[in-house]
Amino acid sequence: MAISVIKQDDGTFRFSGRSFRPTEEKMQALAPYGMLLHNWGIVLMLLPDPVQTQALDQQIGNARFIRNRYLADRQDYYARSGESLTVACYKSVYMPRLKKEYPFLLLSDKFALEAALEHVDAAYKKFFREHTGFPRFASKYNLSGNQYTTKFTNWNIAVETGKDGLSYVKLPKIGKIRFVLPKGKTVPDIVPEGTSILSASVKRTGQTYTVSLQLEAVVEKPAELAEVSVRDIVAADMGIARFATIGNAEEMETVENPRWIRLHAKRLRRLQKALSRKRYDKKSHTGSKNWEKARRRVAAEQRKCANQRKDFQHKLSRKIADACTVFVCEDLNIRGMVKNRHLSKEISSAGWGRFLTYVRYKLERKGGIFLKAGRFYASSKICSICGKKYEALKLSDRSWRCPECGEIHDRDENAVSNLLKEGRRLLAEKGIAVTA
């Protein structure tokens, strides 16, 4: 199986064929034309009516049922035969019998059920390839059991403006659902001309429903950088006392840590105490009406905390991506750092990993370069003036004097200066000249 591409008279590209690695093969097919594939996503908040809410709950429940059934059957099949039960075999042999045994599965979009099977299979592959956790059963009390994914075919997914002038997203088996149009956006901005919708993932968080559209477009390949101005190189040192210290060859800027978890801790503690006092049966997982109201208040507060963090990170990452061509940061071992029980809460609250992901994709989208210094590069301990490494520096030391040259350094600003030097060295390795 392979994917080929044809350039049409109107300048657009048409793909044909199938592959287990569609993105990679599409990129290879576009290379002779000087084009590349750009994938991104957008999340929209849905405003379903009561009938559509029930239909969405049905789709989510059926996807969870199939996911758990396939996982159980796959484990049982391996225990009996010592072989793996493939997705193709399950779809052709098991699914027809399940649809006869459980008629409610006929209410589901077939792609939603297939995607549930593929998610289990992907979890197995990741377990054997990356030695991550073994696939687990989905629960309606966790996020994994409150979502489903469907695929695009024959315009079954679309974003459009209705006759009433409102914005709608069309989903298979559901129909047209109103959604909240992002501020400053129009419907054509959501899915621009020449953009394809690949899939849609619907998530339920409390009483809120969102749809995440996976989009794909063919764009011109950015020209490779031959040289870059020293002023267009920006480095950032992430921290806890300060969220980040950001600077280039001319200026430094500190960004204070909003500490979102600490900001919401007092109110969240009060809401969680109120929830714990409400009547709840652990065996049947049912609570009183007051318990349900209290649970929604807790979920809303947690959701607000997460949304504020996400909004802050998007705005700061956009500011950085617009201000530079090359961005340099440390290769942080966040998974290891959160094992420190004294700092784990603050590290999780900061969300460095996701923030750097935002910076990377926004920068690379415009043809910029995202660089990471080596994991063991001691940016804070090296004197940016003479290069002497000060081994006695502690985590609590915010400033220090170099024993070699006597220079007094601010810990974070010194780290940024060293990261800028390391970034210039990495650019030289790539054959990119740095000009004044």
Side-chain angles (χ1 to χ4, degrees):
M1 293 187 291
I3 292 179
S4 59
V5 63
I6 299 175
K7 186 174 182 179
Q8 303 184 107
D9 295 337
D10 58 358
T12 60
F13 292 84
R14 182 179 178 182
F15 296 98
S16 59
R18 301 181 67 182
S19 172
F20 291 112
R21 299 178 295 109
T23 301
E24 294 178 20
E25 294 204 5
K26 286 180 180 179
M27 294 283 275
Q28 292 174 3
L30 288 169
Y33 297 95
M35 311 293 282
L36 57 78
L37 207 62
H38 177 46
N39 289 288
W40 77 102
I42 186 167
V43 179
L44 305 171
M45 179 180 287
L46 299 177
L47 300 172
D49 59 35
V51 175
Q52 292 171 335
T53 299
Q54 186 177 2
L56 289 172
D57 290 341
Q58 180 78 59
Q59 299 291 325
I60 291 171
N62 288 0
R64 182 175 62 245
F65 175 84
I66 285 296
R67 173 193 170 98
N68 290 341
R69 188 61 182 257
Y70 175 47
L71 180 55
D73 289 341
R74 185 161 175 163
Q75 291 176 355
D76 182 62
Y77 188 85
Y78 182 80
R80 288 187 286 104
S81 65
E83 297 180 356
S84 179
L85 180 59
T86 64
V87 172
C89 177
Y90 199 84
K91 286 196 294 186
S92 61
V93 178
Y94 288 73
M95 286 294 287
R97 293 187 303 201
L98 286 174
K99 288 182 178 180
K100 288 182 180 179
E101 186 177 356
Y102 303 101
F104 59 81
L105 293 177
L106 297 173
L107 301 174
S108 272
D109 166 32
K110 75 166 189 173
F111 291 116
L113 302 184
E114 289 180 3
L117 302 179
E118 291 167 0
H119 290 164
V120 175
D121 190 57
Y124 264 98
K125 290 178 180 177
K126 189 174 182 180
F127 169 72
F128 289 113
R129 184 175 61 249
E130 302 178 13
H131 305 288
T132 54
F134 189 78
R136 293 182 292 181
F137 292 97
S139 168
K140 67 178 181 180
Y141 302 104
N142 297 325
L143 179 62
S144 62
N146 284 279
Q147 58 186 356
Y148 79 93
T149 300
T150 185
K151 302 173 187 176
F152 176 89
T153 183
N154 298 326
W155 300 101
N156 62 339
I157 304 172
V159 177
E160 54 193 48
T161 303
K163 294 180 180 179
D164 53 4
L166 299 175
S167 49
Y168 293 86
V169 57
K170 184 174 74 172
L171 296 174
K173 294 287 187 178
I174 308 292
K176 297 179 181 180
I177 309 177
R178 277 192 60 198
F179 68 87
V180 178
L181 195 63
K183 187 176 180 180
K185 298 283 187 180
T186 62
V187 170
D189 293 335
I190 303 298
V191 184
E193 186 177 355
T195 301
S196 303
I197 300 176
L198 299 183
S199 66
S201 296
V202 177
K203 294 183 181 180
R204 178 178 61 197
T205 307
Q207 301 299 307
T208 303
Y209 295 82
T210 58
V211 60
S212 176
L213 300 178
Q214 183 185 355
L215 306 174
E216 178 182 89
V218 176
V219 297
E220 289 187 15
K221 188 176 181 179
E224 294 186 4
L225 291 174
E227 62 178 27
V228 60
S229 170
V230 69
R231 291 184 295 275
D232 290 334
I233 304 174
V234 170
D237 178 64
M238 314 306 296
I240 294 176
R242 303 166 181 167
F243 178 77
T245 301
I246 305 168
N248 58 13
E250 297 180 345
E251 58 183 349
M252 294 277 183
E253 178 186 357
T254 59
V255 180
E256 295 303 317
N257 189 354
R259 300 180 187 271
W260 299 115
I261 292 179
R262 186 182 295 183
L263 186 67
H264 289 263
K266 186 175 180 180
R267 176 171 169 80
L268 191 58
R269 187 185 303 115
R270 178 168 59 82
L271 293 175
Q272 288 174 330
K273 282 185 177 180
L275 176 63
S276 67
R277 289 193 290 267
K278 303 299 186 288
R279 190 170 69 251
Y280 179 74
D281 185 358
K282 293 183 179 180
K283 292 184 178 179
S284 61
H285 293 289
T286 56
S288 64
K289 290 186 177 180
N290 284 334
W291 177 87
E292 181 62 27
K293 292 178 185 177
R295 185 192 66 79
R296 290 180 185 177
R297 292 191 193 102
V298 171
E301 189 69 17
Q302 291 172 332
R303 187 163 58 249
K304 183 177 181 180
C305 177
N307 289 341
Q308 285 182 325
R309 183 191 298 113
K310 190 175 182 180
D311 178 70
F312 164 77
Q313 292 177 345
H314 267 302
K315 289 177 178 176
L316 181 58
S317 60
R318 170 50 58 198
K319 181 181 177 182
I320 292 172
D322 290 344
C324 70
T325 305
V326 178
F327 180 82
V328 190
C329 65
E330 295 174 297
D331 184 12
L332 298 172
N333 180 19
I334 299 175
R335 184 175 294 182
M337 295 169 72
V338 295
K339 292 180 181 179
N340 183 335
R341 62 187 181 89
H342 299 291
L343 299 175
S344 59
K345 191 172 184 179
E346 293 293 345
I347 293 171
S348 299
S349 177
W352 298 327
R354 188 167 64 176
F355 168 73
L356 294 175
T357 300
Y358 290 164
V359 174
R360 179 168 197 154
Y361 86 74
K362 288 172 183 174
L363 191 62
E364 292 180 346
R365 180 183 291 179
K366 72 169 194 175
I369 299 175
F370 183 92
L371 297 174
K372 281 188 177 182
R375 179 160 292 186
F376 300 103
Y377 179 70
S379 60
S380 298
K381 294 183 178 181
I382 298 173
C383 175
S384 58
I385 303 299
C386 67
K388 175 71 175 179
K389 187 175 181 181
Y390 181 48
E391 296 286 358
L393 185 67
K394 299 178 182 178
L395 189 62
S396 58
D397 296 335
R398 304 314 306 167
S399 61
W400 56 280
R401 182 188 294 273
C402 176
E404 187 74 17
C405 64
E407 183 74 17
I408 298 176
H409 295 291
D410 176 88
R411 179 194 186 97
D412 297 333
E413 292 182 3
N414 178 67
V416 171
S417 298
N418 284 322
L419 287 172
L420 288 170
K421 290 181 180 179
E422 181 67 6
R424 291 194 288 270
R425 187 189 67 81
L426 294 173
L427 287 172
E429 288 184 354
K430 293 176 175 288
I432 300 174
V434 179
T435 59

